[in-house]
Amino acid sequence: MALRLVADFELGKDVLPWLRAERSASEARGVGSGGADVVENDYESLRVLNIERNGNIIYTYKDDKGNVVFGLYDCQTRQNELLYAFEKDLEVFSCSVNSERTLLAASLIQSTKEGKRNELQPGSKCLTLLVEIHPVNNVKVLKAVDSYIWVQVIKNSGHLQRDRIAENFVWAQWDMSEQRLYYIDLKKSKSILKCIQFYADESYNLMFEVPLDISLSNSGFKLVNFGCDYQDQEKLSKHLSLCVFTNHAGSLCVCYSPKCAAWEQITYSVFYIHKGYSKTFTTSLKNVGSHMTKGITFLNLDYYVGVYLPGHFFHLLNVQHPDLICHNLFLTGNNEMIDMLPHSPLQSLSGSLVLDYCSGKLYRAMLSQSSLLQLLQKTRLDCEKMATLHCALSCGHGAQLLEGQIIQWISENVSACHSFDLIQEFIIASSYWSVYSETSNVDKLLPHSSVLTWNTEIPGITLVTEDTALPLMKVHSFKGYWETLNSNLENVKYAKPHFHYNNSVVRREWHNLISEEKTGKRRSTAYVRNILDNAIKVISNLEARNLEPRLTPLLQEEDSHQRLLMGLMVSELRDHFLRHLQGVEKKKIEQMVLDYISKLLDLICHILEASWRKHNLHSWVFHFNSRGSAAEFAVFHIMTRILEATNSLFLPLPPGFHTLHTILGVHCLPLHNLLHCIDSGVLLLTETAVTRLMKDLDNTEKNEKLKFSIIVRLPPLIGQKICRLWDHPMSSNIISRNHVMQLLQNYKKRPRNSMIDKSSFSVEFLPLNYFIEILTDIESTNQALYPFEQHDNVDAKFVEEAALKHTTMLLGL
């Protein structure tokens, strides 16, 4: 199942055996009465009453005399303790105990039998008592109210505040871990959600108000997480479901499912308050029947909200990035994973805790990476692949192992998706999550997906998106969660554009630098040196992250073009963060930038190495005397897909990537296909790759044709170097052409110098003799202007010999 429920506590295993042992011990001492049947009847009323902020669990049951008994299970010591017993037949709705276990607060009413009035207080539905359970029993009445209330034990029991926190509300939810009270107040038929934050010093603030487009006027009164939602479970499906979820990243979601008039389809809404809009989902149901006594359960799963209807569907809604529907995962009742969840209603508590009230089991809910990986491998829908990939990467724990498994799957299914580029999406999403926790505003500055729009429908799901009002914040000083939420609201309020980084500036600057290199007019060396120093930092950071030797020959050459691209991305991304991450120290930003770009490169290396390993190219040696194998062609194919993925985003590649790609292309492709790939930019000729070809290939007719075809496609500066490595008339011809072009580019015709020694020309070929005479004259009179030391004794004599050899070769003599 995509959702994994780990049982932290179970009444039947952690409490009941202890209670039975205590009862047996009491009976052995002559205290207590009743046989086994009476004992079991007592414990039928055993239920969880409250999960305290420290994780301890308070439970209650009624003994054979109808007395209400309170017990506590210590989550640290895993021991039970009886706290107190009321010698009255009362119904308990909430309870709490202080950390010293000296004060017990309980909200309760007397069981109302038919025709019997409440005897606690006329007109009162609930009475709250503060009991000193150690060292002596001292009962104080906190307050009697006309509805159910929740209590928390305060520090100073001698001074009880009489402040009225809220009144006239129809719905309330208590967040134990964060000490927040959410409630809805009806004003002029509008539902106004409010939140009160309580602090350790017993002060509190009303944090915000926000109108919700929901109808609660006729729904009746409901409390969420007050006494763990102790209500008539049979009526759950007849009432609306409403709950509020937050996470540390500043999200605020209100999940709402109205009363169901018919079960053919289910509608529920999620108000993404931190985004300024709501989404209403409608899903059709199949095989409506036995399970429809159950209602919808909403679960807080950090970056996701789980929506669960037992036996029918389980949806995972992306809270952090809800813009595109493809980032949500919709599993239907036909999915075997859903049947693994309990069919009883689940109550989402603070944090990731989930209570199965019927069985008394307390679970810790988390997304199952292994199940998500299985789903990724099995599903055929692109939308589910997209959603599952993001969901798995967001889990965080065991990231390296999970990434390795996803990469292995990608290497085997690189063409599995048609709606998006799988490699591209994985690289962007995984790099994003690798630095996401560094600062709260990263989600506004870095793209989490390569997909900007999604128009394909999700089978069985219809979606309506509507703008909603933003909360009116009631305080002016924010800390922690509230500061992050307010930052999110500010972005929505002032319609700030997306600040997601892209490489457009890097693309433009990189092309400028490459153009300058070709023309020999590059700007100051200090500027270029600074960019290359950035690249050195990235590669050092990358090597520090991965201490194991790499299988592939990457990061082993200079590849100045990729280093320029890498260094430019460091510079631009650093400036981007400095502009928008106020208050974050420069050193931390610098490291975050290095980590992000290192992650990009590392993922590319790992994708290639997974294919390398799969095709058993561990000890791969390039042999030019045979055609490329199927394994080499498969690696060449995935390298081409990696290149396509990075090109559109203009991401750097590990130095050595283009060299390996070109060599594999030479080995695997026919010449015309190879040259087409070079001309179309799929293969980039690096000096390292071409040097190896010139040295390793012999001068058969086929190889001569290949070498010449490659040399003529090289940039002039590299071409001049490479030609000297090939001892062949064709190479000499190219060198001669370059030499002549440089000599004659500023040549002006002058009177001939008749003093030149004609005997130096050994061949009577008048056009050639005349041309060589001109070149010799230029060389002798302008030697200072043409210092061709780098040309390895290239002169008019060399040009003459090359011309004759080339002519002879063309004539077949």
Side-chain angles (χ1 to χ4, degrees), residues 795-806:
D795 55 12
K797 183 66 175 176
F798 180 90
V799 172
E800 178 188 22
E801 292 175 355
L804 290 173
K805 287 181 181 179
H806 186 58

Side-chain angles (χ1 to χ4, degrees), residues 402-465:
L402 174 72
E403 283 179 353
Q405 293 171 320
I406 294 176
I407 286 171
Q408 185 64 40
W409 176 75
I410 289 176
S411 68
E412 298 170 0
N413 301 272
V414 68
S415 301
C417 298
H418 305 288
S419 305
F420 64 97
D421 188 310
L422 186 56
I423 294 177
Q424 193 177 76
E425 189 68 11
F426 171 69
I427 290 174
I428 293 298
S430 187
S431 300
Y432 165 84
W433 284 108
S434 71
V435 298
Y436 177 80
S437 61
E438 296 295 327
T439 178
S440 60
N441 286 321
V442 166
D443 62 322
K444 302 180 186 69
L445 303 179
L446 285 175
H448 77 285
S449 172
S450 63
V451 177
L452 300 179
T453 59
W454 186 276
N455 299 319
T456 307
E457 293 185 356
I458 308 293
I461 299 291
T462 58
L463 172 65
V464 176
T465 302

Side-chain angles (χ1 to χ4, degrees), residues 30-94:
V31 181
S33 61
D37 292 340
V38 175
V39 173
E40 294 307 316
N41 289 336
D42 291 349
Y43 298 145
E44 285 183 359
S45 61
L46 182 63
R47 63 183 178 86
V48 173
L49 190 60
N50 183 32
I51 289 70
E52 298 278 69
R53 192 179 187 186
N54 58 12
N56 292 343
I57 298 164
I58 297 180
Y59 51 86
T60 184
Y61 66 94
K62 294 180 180 179
D63 63 15
D64 56 331
K65 298 178 181 179
N67 298 328
V68 177
V69 183
F70 297 92
L72 181 142
Y73 177 80
D74 191 314
C75 65
Q76 299 297 326
T77 64
R78 307 193 76 81
Q79 299 294 318
N80 287 279
E81 175 185 346
L82 288 180
L83 296 176
Y84 192 73
F86 281 108
E87 296 180 355
K88 284 187 179 182
D89 185 9
L90 304 172
E91 202 67 61
V92 182
F93 279 88
S94 66

Side-chain angles (χ1 to χ4, degrees), residues 1-5 301 314-316 329 331 335-338 340-341 365-375 388 391-392 395:
M1 176 56 207
L3 179 68
R4 186 158 63 99
L5 298 178
L301 301 171
F314 179 72
H315 297 169
L316 280 171
L329 180 60
L331 301 178
N335 195 307
E336 61 184 11
M337 293 184 180
I338 292 180
M340 298 172 63
L341 283 174
M366 60 189 72
L367 295 174
S368 170
Q369 288 184 333
S370 59
S371 296
L372 289 168
L373 185 62
Q374 292 176 16
L375 180 62
T388 306
C391 193
C395 296

Side-chain angles (χ1 to χ4, degrees), residues 521-539:
K521 298 178 180 179
R522 177 166 283 180
R523 66 193 75 176
S524 70
T525 56
Y527 172 75
V528 176
R529 188 184 305 114
N530 182 59
I531 294 173
L532 295 177
D533 285 345
N534 288 339
I536 292 173
K537 293 177 183 177
V538 171
I539 293 177

Side-chain angles (χ1 to χ4, degrees), residues 263-306:
W263 288 107
E264 286 75 19
Q265 63 182 21
I266 290 288
T267 297
Y268 62 88
S269 300
V270 178
F271 295 80
Y272 302 94
I273 305 297
H274 58 294
K275 294 288 186 178
Y277 54 76
S278 67
K279 291 181 180 289
T280 299
F281 302 86
T282 302
T283 180
S284 300
L285 299 184
K286 298 179 180 179
N287 304 321
V288 178
S290 59
H291 296 309
M292 296 321 295
T293 58
K294 315 301 181 186
I296 277 186
T297 296
F298 294 107
L299 302 173
N300 187 5
L301 301 171
D302 201 8
Y303 300 116
Y304 286 81
V305 165

